[in-house]
Amino acid sequence: MVTAPDTALVEAVRTALRAAADPAAAEPMRAYMKSEMPFLGVPKPARTAALEPVFAEHRIDDGVSWRSAVLTLWDGAEFREERYAAVTLAQLTQYAAFATRPDALDLYDHLVVTGAWWDFVDEVAIRSVGPVLRGHHDAVAPVVRRWARDADRWRRRTAVICQIGSKAEIDVDLLAEAVQANLGDDDFFLRKGIGWALRQHARVDPEWVRRFVAAHEGELSALSRREALRNIDPPSIVTRG
């Protein structure tokens, strides 16, 4: 159950978002995101400006209250911006002690599976799951491996892309395993995610990516291969359809 201070935070977030809403922008935003959930019409810069003072005023003191507030905002959302606010709350630096614990994974899993679209999933995968994996590798890597083979495509995309931004801390074996588990899937978001994850790792180790792509030449989609090699090979070498 949400405590009184958390209720005040949730209501303050909703009030701030409605005050910043531009009704004329709402439908174009919804159409662009192909969202069944309506928008208020609060683009990211305005959302950030509206929410910063709210989060500064309404502080949370413990992990249970933090989780409760995130879930209340998320599950009770009428507008997509409320879910964006829930993700922002989950990632605020002042709550890192709660957000980077392995027991936060079930919260992130809930956001991924119920969010079920790239705008939510990518943010949660890279900025929430990724830090937990880096901080608690031995506990979290088995979960990522399971997600890589899950029936839910958004868990699988999360497994593929969650190490984006890890740089030298990346577990390349885990990356390879997550990618290999999804090579046969024709889903656009998985193919794009595979290419994105490999392209980002190419910034650290282009030769590893080149070797990986060559080893899986017959399995990688043209999209994944093109994205993976974008910054290390000329586009003209991509010939597969």
Side-chain angles (χ1 to χ4, degrees):
M1 180 178 295
V2 186
T3 63
D6 305 325
T7 300
L9 166 59
V10 169
E11 290 306 314
V13 166
R14 291 171 177 164
T15 298
L17 289 173
R18 282 161 176 75
D22 176 3
E27 180 54 26
M29 291 173 70
R30 188 206 64 77
Y32 170 77
M33 198 52 65
K34 301 178 181 178
S35 173
E36 293 184 5
M37 180 177 285
F39 276 80
L40 282 162
V42 189
K44 186 173 182 178
R47 192 168 70 245
T48 299
L51 293 179
E52 278 185 351
V54 173
F55 290 141
E57 179 180 353
H58 298 271
R59 300 297 293 259
I60 297 172
D61 297 324
D62 63 271
V64 172
S65 298
W66 166 79
R67 177 188 295 260
S68 176
V70 171
L71 283 172
T72 300
L73 272 171
W74 179 273
D75 291 338
E78 296 180 31
F79 298 95
R80 204 168 187 91
E81 289 94 339
E82 293 173 75
R83 287 196 158 182
Y84 293 147
V87 174
T88 299
L89 176 60
Q91 296 173 346
L92 290 176
T93 303
Q94 59 260 39
Y95 303 127
F98 316 138
T100 58
R101 292 164 49 105
D103 60 9
L105 278 184
D106 64 332
L107 170 63
Y108 304 145
D109 181 57
H110 177 73
L111 303 186
V112 164
V113 173
T114 59
W117 200 240
W118 63 267
D119 56 336
F120 296 135
V121 171
D122 293 3
E123 183 73 10
V124 173
I126 295 168
R127 297 192 60 208
S128 294
V129 176
V132 181
L133 173 62
R134 290 190 291 275
H136 304 274
H137 178 274
D138 291 347
V140 176
V143 178
V144 173
R145 289 190 172 92
R146 289 198 301 272
W147 286 355
R149 294 169 174 81
D150 195 87
D152 186 279
R153 66 170 170 167
W154 299 109
R155 282 192 180 116
R156 284 182 279 140
R157 181 172 167 98
T158 296
V160 168
I161 69 172
C162 67
Q163 294 195 83
I164 287 176
S166 294
K167 299 181 180 179
E169 295 181 77
I170 193 169
D171 178 344
V172 291
D173 293 334
L174 182 59
L175 171 63
E177 186 174 341
V179 169
Q180 288 168 326
N182 290 282
L183 286 175
D185 200 300
D186 62 3
D187 181 78
F188 169 81
F189 290 103
L190 280 166
R191 289 183 169 187
K192 188 76 169 180
I194 286 169
W196 184 18
L198 292 173
R199 184 178 77 246
Q200 289 300 111
H201 186 51
R203 298 174 182 270
V204 176
D205 191 346
E207 289 306 315
W208 185 95
V209 173
R210 188 180 278 110
R211 289 194 304 270
F212 184 90
V213 169
H216 298 280
E217 173 67 25
E219 302 166 277
L220 279 164
S221 69
L223 173 60
S224 297
R225 185 175 187 272
R226 182 170 59 249
E227 290 294 314
L229 300 177
R230 179 187 294 179
N231 297 324
I232 57 177
D233 280 321
S236 60
I237 72 167
V238 179
T239 57
R240 292 183 60 231

